[in-house]
Amino acid sequence: MASSGRTYRGVDVASRRAHRRAALLDAALEEFTTTGYRASRIADICTRARVSTRTFYEEFEGKQDVLLVLHDRVNDLALSHVRHALGTVLETDAVTRIGTLLDAFVAAVTADPRLPRLAYVEAVGVSPALEAQHQRWVTRWAEFIAAEAARAAEHGLAPRRDYRLTGIALVGAVTGLLRAWQAGNPPEPVAVIADEIKSLMSAAITRQA
Amino acid sequence: MASSGRTYRGVDVASRRAHRRAALLDAALEEFTTTGYRASRIADICTRARVSTRTFYEEFEGKQDVLLVLHDRVNDLALSHVRHALGTVLETDAVTRIGTLLDAFVAAVTADPRLPRLAYVEAVGVSPALEAQHQRWVTRWAEFIAAEAARAAEHGLAPRRDYRLTGIALVGAVTGLLRAWQAGNPPEPVAVIADEIKSLMSAAITRQA
DNA sequence: ACATTTCGAAAATCTCGATTACCAATGTAG
DNA sequence: CTACATTGGTAATCGAGATTTTCGAAATGT
């Protein structure tokens, strides 16, 4: 019955697996954002990860599966940063909160230029599954923004109305800006992007129209 | 020496060619937006166009070539509509002009739901060539918006500043909204989208920040 | 009629990369 | 030391499509 697995070099089965999986994800991120998702080959990802193709199929269903995981990761990463940042300004005015939210988001996603490239370019139009995942995230972010807007409205800083569409538009604005940013050679300073977004968002929310 | 070509059914060589090319483009638009660009096969496009694969290669280099052409078409179509619409409000105030511009754009691109699907989903991340073409169009649209903003500034309706980044952000907002729109089932009324964009854009341009 | 131009259909080629199967090296356990 | 688990490496297997060619039917011109 056996073995729940043998220990090698002091690490158990689970850790070795986790390590290989992480190596594959790292390698895939690199391949996808340099070679491009469509053109990148599984064999190359494996070579870069110093892992065999067999191992690849032990961890993932296929290329798309990896992309799905990476796409979620980028968004999860950003979300956790944003949540943490917002937690530090609980009692502040709405405008400050929105600024904090965006600074955290932009900082998280631009820390590695490969992230926006993956999420806003490579992961688009790949498959219905990915489009669905994209939509879920857009909705989530839009609701996040709408919630902050509602909070601003509570304080009389913005009109009371449904901010969901505005949220989607703003997510699109951020996406467009970051897509352009990652394509830039050399990239613009991130602060410029962040300022534009912050200013745009607060104008969008406080407008009376 | 020969013939510059024989006339069939009353149409000359050039017309027949043009017809086949048009049929191929139509078929490709349909395939790309239903099956998805990556998954659609050249053979299927040809079948739908009632043309042989041989003819396909007489007209195009390959699948990507067709996508490049279609992507340009969507943008050209929108541009011509916008230009025409703006021509009818030459002497009007900036706010009206911006509203006109956006109504024309949105109307042109949503007239056929396949257009936003093609331009904002299927044509993303396909190849460096397409990304380059996308960037050119974003820049062009952003400059268009910036020009209108400058005009508004002339009339004292907006602050004098560089509106290019704002333009890119707004193009992103429009893109995001239309991408969500075409994914909707059933789609939202277009007017809602158009209103949101118009309002957002005028807030973005007239803000004092 | 008969030769010729066109072009769809279909078959032959070709190219690749995904998926699988197998082999051998490395490190363990006992 | 011996049997075994674990994996990277390699190469065989496969299938899907993209391109290219060939074949022949339809439409014209002479």
Side-chain angles (χ1 to χ4, degrees):
Chain A
M1 292 318 60
S3 45
S4 55
R6 186 179 282 182
T7 294
Y8 270 70
R9 290 182 197 135
V11 295
D12 59 68
V13 185
S15 299
R16 288 189 318 254
R17 257 189 93 123
H19 188 270
R20 288 196 300 268
R21 186 183 174 85
L24 279 169
L25 284 169
D26 281 352
L29 172 60
E30 183 64 20
E31 284 289 323
F32 289 170
T33 56
T34 53
T35 305
Y37 173 72
R38 333 184 48 201
S40 51
R41 282 163 289 152
I42 290 180
D44 291 340
I45 294 172
C46 293
T47 301
R48 185 185 292 277
R50 296 170 193 292
V51 149
S52 74
T53 58
R54 196 188 51 180
T55 305
F56 178 91
Y57 288 102
E58 271 169 14
E59 290 302 318
F60 301 100
E61 305 269 323
K63 225 166 53 162
Q64 183 190 309
D65 188 17
V66 182
L67 183 57
L68 240 10
V69 173
L70 287 173
H71 179 264
D72 257 347
R73 275 204 163 189
V74 174
N75 280 285
D76 277 326
L77 175 75
L79 187 57
S80 75
H81 278 232
V82 168
R83 281 220 171 97
H84 176 270
L86 281 184
T88 68
V89 290
L90 281 178
E91 304 304 324
T92 330
D93 67 295
V95 173
T96 301
R97 278 180 64 85
I98 290 173
T100 303
L101 184 168
L102 288 170
D103 279 333
F105 183 91
V106 173
V109 177
T110 58
D112 182 344
R114 297 175 305 171
L115 306 188
R117 169 68 183 273
L118 184 92
Y120 308 135
V121 179
E122 301 302 334
V124 180
V126 168
S127 72
L130 255 165
E131 282 305 294
Q133 184 163 296
H134 165 263
Q135 264 200 272
R136 281 197 295 282
W137 276 109
V138 168
T139 302
R140 199 161 176 183
W141 287 114
E143 283 169 354
F144 218 100
I145 292 171
E148 289 303 319
R151 192 175 167 123
E154 298 278 308
H155 299 337
L157 295 170
R160 289 179 195 281
R161 63 180 182 82
D162 186 345
Y163 282 96
R164 273 174 302 178
L165 250 200
T166 301
I168 292 177
L170 289 171
V171 170
V174 174
T175 300
L177 236 24
L178 290 177
R179 182 175 173 187
W181 176 78
Q182 67 80 33
N185 223 326
E188 303 250 342
V190 178
V192 176
I193 305 287
D195 286 343
E196 178 62 36
I197 296 182
K198 281 188 284 189
S199 167
L200 176 60
M201 192 166 297
S202 92
I205 289 176
T206 61
R207 80 182 119 126
Q208 294 302 326
Chain B
M1 269 282 58
S3 45
S4 58
R6 184 177 286 182
T7 295
Y8 269 68
R9 290 183 197 137
V11 295
D12 59 68
V13 185
S15 299
R16 291 191 316 260
R17 253 189 99 123
H19 188 271
R20 288 197 299 271
R21 188 184 172 84
L24 279 168
L25 285 169
D26 281 351
L29 172 60
E30 182 64 21
E31 284 289 323
F32 290 171
T33 56
T34 52
T35 306
Y37 173 73
R38 326 201 180 221
S40 52
R41 282 163 291 150
I42 290 180
D44 291 340
I45 295 173
C46 293
T47 300
R48 186 184 291 279
R50 297 171 194 291
V51 149
S52 75
T53 59
R54 198 190 47 180
T55 303
F56 178 91
Y57 288 102
E58 269 169 14
E59 290 302 319
F60 302 99
E61 305 268 321
K63 225 167 52 163
Q64 183 189 310
D65 188 18
V66 182
L67 184 56
L68 240 9
V69 173
L70 286 174
H71 178 263
D72 258 346
R73 277 203 161 191
V74 174
N75 280 285
D76 278 325
L77 174 74
L79 187 58
S80 75
H81 278 233
V82 167
R83 282 219 170 101
H84 176 270
L86 281 183
T88 69
V89 290
L90 281 178
E91 304 303 325
T92 330
D93 66 294
V95 174
T96 301
R97 277 180 64 86
I98 290 174
T100 302
L101 184 168
L102 288 170
D103 279 332
F105 184 90
V106 173
V109 177
T110 58
D112 182 343
R114 296 175 306 173
L115 305 189
R117 169 66 182 273
L118 184 94
Y120 308 134
V121 179
E122 300 303 333
V124 180
V126 168
S127 72
L130 256 165
E131 283 305 295
Q133 183 163 296
H134 165 262
Q135 265 198 271
R136 282 196 296 281
W137 277 108
V138 168
T139 302
R140 198 159 176 185
W141 287 114
E143 282 169 355
F144 219 100
I145 293 171
E148 289 303 320
R151 190 177 169 122
E154 298 280 306
H155 299 338
L157 295 170
R160 288 179 197 280
R161 63 180 181 83
D162 187 344
Y163 282 96
R164 272 174 303 179
L165 250 201
T166 302
I168 292 177
L170 289 171
V171 170
V174 174
T175 299
L177 236 23
L178 290 177
R179 181 174 173 188
W181 176 78
Q182 65 80 33
N185 222 326
E188 302 249 345
V190 177
V192 175
I193 306 288
D195 286 343
E196 178 62 35
I197 296 182
K198 281 188 284 189
S199 168
L200 177 60
M201 191 166 298
S202 92
I205 290 177
T206 60
R207 79 183 121 126
Q208 292 303 325

